[in-house]
């Protein structure tokens, strides 16, 4: 099986596995991250196969939907790739990326660092989908899925969360902007990612300004 066929088989697997998933973490999220990955990879010296498989499989079992268990996704991804007889070196790299790309892991100060250009590309691609217009839509979609408040002026954002506190947080969705989304611009790795993130960051700031004006009856 050549690289293109591997990618196509992976697309079929991911589409089927994520059928009926929450709207912010469904196949269309994966598709956008995959497209972002290919866009960013054009300007980077990376393995297209590794970044493609990593992008497609990175949310195959998001811990949020598996009681916080971070082992399910990497295990399912490895089982699938092994079933296609993907080279061990490629499988290991893909699994390492899946294990290390999430924002919450950056809150774990004791975590052993892992960093490759492939990780940087896929991480940027995923983070781009968390900001801007779609990022806002995804945040409120997930907040609704979890029955969270839109905003509560009495609950301040927690800017010093540990990884475990972040995983257990049930704060209003607006707080998520300050606890994650507005921080992503300065965490981008690639030059192309940084440029795209800056525009989307400004869009979120404009949205928040409008939100507060409407909330406070200023319009």
């Amino acid at each position: 099986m050549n690289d293109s066929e591997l990618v196509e088989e992976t697309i079929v697997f991911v589409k089927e596995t994520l059928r009926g998933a929450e709207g912010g973490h469904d196949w269309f999220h994966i598709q956008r991250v995959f497209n972002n990955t290919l866009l960013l990879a054009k300007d980077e010296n990376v393995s297209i196969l590794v970044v493609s498989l990593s992008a497609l499989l990175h949310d195959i079992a998001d811990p949020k939907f598996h009681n916080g268990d971070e082992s399910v996704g990497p295990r399912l991804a490895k089982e699938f790739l092994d079933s296609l007889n993907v080279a061990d070196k490629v499988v290991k790299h893909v699994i390492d990326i899946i294990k290390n790309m999430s924002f919450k892991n950056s809150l774990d100060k004791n975590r052993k660092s892992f960093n490759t250009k492939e990780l940087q590309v896929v991480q940027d691609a995923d983070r781009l989908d968390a900001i801007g217009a779609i990022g806002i839509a995804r945040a409120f979609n997930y907040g609704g899925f979890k029955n969270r408040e839109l905003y509560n002026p009495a609950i301040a954002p927690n800017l010093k969360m540990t990884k475990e506190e972040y995983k257990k947080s049930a704060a209003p969705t607006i707080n998520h902007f300050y606890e994650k989304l507005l921080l992503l611009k300065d965490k981008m790795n690639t030059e192309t990612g940084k440029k795209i993130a800056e525009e989307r960051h400004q869009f979120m700031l404009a949205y928040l300004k409008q939100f507060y004006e409407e909330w406070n009856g200023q319009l």
Side-chain angles (χ1 to χ4, degrees):
M1 193 177 293
N2 62 36
D3 289 0
S4 295
E5 291 170 333
L6 287 175
V7 170
E8 287 304 315
E9 285 292 319
T10 305
I11 288 172
V12 171
F13 171 71
V14 174
K15 279 185 175 180
E16 181 58 32
T17 303
L18 295 183
R19 188 185 302 274
E22 181 267 331
H25 299 81
D26 59 2
W27 160 248
F28 293 112
H29 162 62
I30 302 299
Q31 186 178 56
R32 292 190 302 271
V33 173
F34 178 57
N35 290 337
N36 287 344
T37 293
L38 296 181
L39 174 66
L40 298 179
K42 290 179 181 179
D43 298 322
E44 306 294 334
N45 182 22
V46 295
S47 163
I48 297 300
L49 179 61
V50 168
V51 297
S52 296
L53 295 177
S54 300
L56 290 169
L57 293 166
H58 82 279
D59 262 350
I60 197 65
D62 189 302
K64 289 191 289 294
F65 307 105
H66 293 270
N67 298 313
D69 189 343
E70 297 177 43
S71 68
V72 180
R75 175 175 57 79
L76 290 179
K78 185 177 188 308
E79 289 174 357
F80 171 73
L81 294 175
D82 285 345
S83 75
L84 297 182
N85 295 315
V86 177
D88 290 344
K89 182 178 180 180
V90 172
V91 174
K92 184 180 186 306
H93 198 170
V94 170
I95 300 307
D96 283 340
I97 289 172
I98 293 172
K99 287 180 176 179
N100 288 278
M101 63 181 285
S102 72
F103 170 79
K104 66 181 177 294
N105 286 331
S106 69
L107 304 176
D108 184 356
K109 305 306 180 186
N110 298 317
R111 188 178 184 86
K112 186 178 179 180
S113 63
F114 168 82
N115 195 16
T116 64
K117 291 298 291 185
E118 284 79 6
L119 167 67
Q120 292 177 6
V121 166
V122 181
Q123 190 174 62
D124 278 10
D126 187 41
R127 289 175 173 177
L128 286 175
D129 204 53
I131 59 179
I134 287 177
I136 292 171
R138 291 181 66 213
F140 283 107
N141 190 84
Y142 184 72
F145 178 79
K146 300 294 287 187
N147 197 31
R148 293 179 180 171
E149 294 177 294
L150 296 177
Y151 173 53
N152 186 332
I155 303 176
N158 182 355
L159 304 181
K160 296 183 178 180
M161 280 192 287
T162 64
K163 177 181 176 180
E164 289 306 311
E165 288 173 332
Y166 179 85
K167 289 173 66 173
K168 295 176 181 177
S169 176
T173 298
I174 284 293
N175 289 30
H176 190 58
F177 283 74
Y178 301 95
E179 294 166 350
K180 177 183 177 181
L181 308 189
L182 293 173
L183 305 178
L184 294 180
K185 173 179 70 71
D186 293 330
K187 291 182 175 291
M188 303 300 288
N189 304 294
T190 65
E191 290 306 313
T192 304
K194 290 175 183 178
K195 291 176 183 177
I196 299 172
E198 178 62 41
E199 181 180 349
R200 297 188 184 190
H201 183 85
Q202 294 303 319
F203 183 90
M204 291 192 296
L205 292 178
Y207 172 83
L208 288 169
K209 180 176 182 294
Q210 180 79 9
F211 182 94
Y212 293 129
E213 289 176 351
E214 293 182 17
W215 184 275
N216 295 318
Q218 297 175 353
L219 296 179

